[in-house]
Amino acid sequence: MSDCGCDKARQDLEEYLRNEVCKTEHSEIREHLENCPSCQDEALVATTLTEVIARACKESAPEELRDQVFARLRAVQAAQH
């Protein structure tokens, strides 16, 4: 029983978005996404989530905050010994 390719497209969506599928599969998934609003929505959510996570990973705490956190960690570790 076939479901028009939705299962396959969704199963391989992460790899597709990271360009980690072979060219044949890439073409098949792209074609499916172009014709399936439901899978387009899922791809948009996955892409947005990936971008948000990538942005968050690039951000770093201000130096003053990092110093406070490390000082507190050192104090806790010293108290445990």
Side-chain angles (χ1 to χ4, degrees):
M1 187 166 130
S2 175
D3 72 330
C4 308
C6 289
D7 283 346
K8 175 84 174 122
R10 289 177 179 168
Q11 178 182 335
D12 297 332
L13 186 59
E14 278 187 50
E15 289 83 3
Y16 169 80
L17 293 173
R18 291 191 309 253
N19 292 314
E20 295 177 356
V21 293
C22 71
K23 288 181 181 179
T24 304
E25 279 189 84
H26 192 276
S27 296
E28 290 172 1
I29 295 169
R30 186 187 70 237
E31 185 177 323
H32 178 80
L33 289 175
E34 288 172 356
N35 297 299
C36 181
S38 176
C39 287
Q40 285 173 16
D41 290 345
E42 193 157 329
L44 178 61
V45 168
T47 302
T48 304
L49 185 58
T50 301
E51 290 171 358
V52 168
I53 291 171
R55 267 199 312 272
C57 290
K58 290 178 185 174
E59 295 177 8
S60 61
E63 192 171 331
E64 183 179 320
L65 176 60
R66 285 197 310 265
D67 290 345
Q68 290 173 5
V69 169
F70 285 128
R72 180 74 180 124
L73 287 171
R74 284 192 291 275
V76 168
Q77 287 175 339
Q80 291 177 349
H81 292 285

